[in-house]
Amino acid sequence: NPWEAIDEFGADTIRMYLIASSQVWLPKRFDRRTIPEVAGGFFNTLRNTYEFFRRYADGVPGPAAEADSTLADRWIRSRLQATVDAVAAAWAGYDVTAGARAIMDFVVDDLSNWYVRTNRARFWAPDRDADPAAVAALREALVTVSRLLAPAAPFASDWLHRAIEGTSVHLAPFPASGRERDESLELAMDAVRRLASLGRAAREEARLKVRQPLRRMQVAVPAAVRGPSFDQLLSLLRAEVNVREIEVVLSDTSLVRLRAKANFRSLGRRFGKRTPEIAAACAGLSTDRKS
C-alpha cells in the first residue's frame, strides 16, 4: 500500500528512493528496508547540515569581500557549481536518476562529511563568532541545493528554502549552469581527501590511533596535482592524519619496494623441469629491470 509507505517515510523520501535506486522506466523490486539506506540517510544529512547552519551561522552577516574566502570556501563553491552543471544536464536529458544521485553525493560527501566537518572550528569556537566567509559559503550551498532538489523533492526543498530565504523554492530561479569553476583546486582537494583516507587506513593497519601524532608522512602524487593549491592544502592533510610533517616525493619508487614472486603453477605449465631455475631468476629481479 503506497499510502502506508508514505505515512511511514514521507512522500519525498519515497520519491527520492524510487528515483535514485534505478532509472524510473526500469522495473524494480520495492523493499521498504532499503528506503532509509538509499534516501533516508540523505535527508537526515541534509537536515543535520541545516541544523548546524541554523545553530551556529544563522544571522551572521556575510563577508565584506570575496577575498575573505579560504581555499575550502572556494573549493565547496566549485564543487557546488560542478553539481549544478551535472544536475542541469541530467534534468534536461530526462535522466532523473543521475540528477538525484549528483545532489545526494554532493550533500553527503562534499558538503557534510568534508566541508562542514573540516571547517567546524570556523563556525563554532569558545568566545568567537562564526567566520562570515564560511557562513556565506554554507548558506549558498544549502540554498542552491534546495533549488536543485525542488523537482525531485518538492516538500523538503520548500521547507529548506523557506527556512533560509523566507520564500518558496518553487518561485525561485533554477541555478545557472556553465559558470566558472576552479578545477585545479578540485583536483588538489580530491588528492588530499584520497591521501587522508589512505593515511587513516595505514594507521588502522599498523594499529596506530589517530590521536597519536606521527613525525612524518611521505606521499607521492601525480604531476597534474602538484601546484600552489595542493601545497596550501597540506596543512589540512596534516591535521586529518595527525602528523607533524608531510614530505612530497617525486616518485613512489622510494616509498615502495617491489619483489618478484614466482607463480609455480603457471611456470610449471610453460617451463616444466626448468621451473625451479626460472623461479630463482624471478627472485633475483630488481625494480629497475623491465623484464
Side-chain angles (χ1 to χ4, degrees):
N1 187 334
W3 298 112
E4 291 180 359
I6 289 174
D7 288 340
E8 181 178 356
F9 298 105
D12 279 350
T13 304
I14 296 293
R15 185 182 293 107
M16 287 294 288
Y17 162 75
L18 294 173
I19 290 174
S21 58
S22 66
Q23 296 288 1
V24 294
W25 54 82
L26 296 177
K28 66 188 69 181
R29 185 184 299 275
F30 182 82
D31 186 355
R32 66 191 311 113
R33 294 172 300 178
T34 62
I35 295 175
E37 178 183 348
V38 175
F42 160 71
F43 281 115
N44 286 337
T45 300
L46 183 61
R47 186 180 302 110
N48 290 339
T49 304
Y50 165 72
E51 285 298 324
F52 179 85
F53 171 81
R54 183 189 62 80
R55 177 174 297 182
Y56 299 115
D58 193 23
V60 177
E66 186 70 23
D68 296 334
S69 298
T70 65
L71 276 179
D73 301 332
R74 286 165 44 199
W75 170 78
I76 196 62
R77 284 193 169 98
S78 187
R79 288 296 309 138
L80 179 63
Q81 188 57 49
T83 305
V84 169
D85 295 343
V87 174
W91 281 177
Y94 297 97
D95 188 351
V96 293
T97 300
R101 288 177 178 174
I103 298 171
M104 296 167 77
D105 290 345
F106 171 78
V107 170
V108 175
D109 297 334
D110 294 335
L111 187 60
S112 176
N113 290 348
W114 189 255
Y115 178 77
V116 171
R117 183 178 64 80
T118 59
N119 288 272
R120 189 177 297 272
R122 297 174 62 199
F123 292 93
W124 180 86
D127 303 322
R128 193 177 71 182
D129 293 333
D131 184 347
V135 170
L138 181 55
R139 179 190 181 97
E140 180 181 344
L142 288 172
V143 171
T144 303
V145 164
S146 70
R147 297 180 181 184
L148 292 174
L149 192 60
F155 302 114
S157 60
D158 198 53
W159 161 79
L160 180 60
H161 198 272
R162 287 179 183 273
I164 300 176
E165 295 286 272
T167 58
S168 173
V169 72
H170 304 296
L171 300 177
F174 196 78
S177 59
R179 291 178 177 172
E180 185 178 0
R181 293 166 48 193
D182 192 338
E183 297 188 38
S184 62
L185 177 56
E186 290 185 45
L187 188 64
M189 186 68 83
D190 181 66
V192 168
R193 295 171 72 177
R194 289 172 180 266
L195 290 169
S197 179
L198 291 171
R200 288 190 291 267
R203 276 182 171 275
E204 291 181 7
E205 185 177 352
R207 297 183 179 179
L208 296 172
K209 295 182 179 180
V210 178
R211 294 190 300 270
Q212 178 182 346
L214 301 178
R215 184 174 65 86
R216 184 178 62 170
M217 175 181 180
Q218 291 180 303
V219 300
V221 297
V225 173
R226 291 301 308 270
S229 296
F230 180 77
D231 293 340
Q232 293 178 59
L233 291 172
L234 289 179
S235 59
L236 175 59
L237 181 58
R238 285 198 299 270
E240 281 293 298
V241 295
N242 193 14
V243 296
R244 297 188 178 94
E245 176 189 356
I246 293 180
E247 179 185 353
V248 182
V249 298
L250 297 179
S251 172
D252 60 0
T253 55
S254 60
L255 305 180
V256 179
R257 281 181 288 182
L258 301 177
R259 183 180 62 181
K261 185 176 181 181
N263 186 325
F264 283 90
R265 178 177 298 180
S266 299
L267 292 177
R269 286 197 297 264
R270 181 172 181 180
F271 296 102
K273 294 181 179 180
R274 295 187 60 205
T275 297
E277 177 187 348
I278 302 300
C282 290
L285 290 174
S286 61
T287 57
D288 60 352
R289 295 184 62 173
K290 298 182 180 179
S291 61

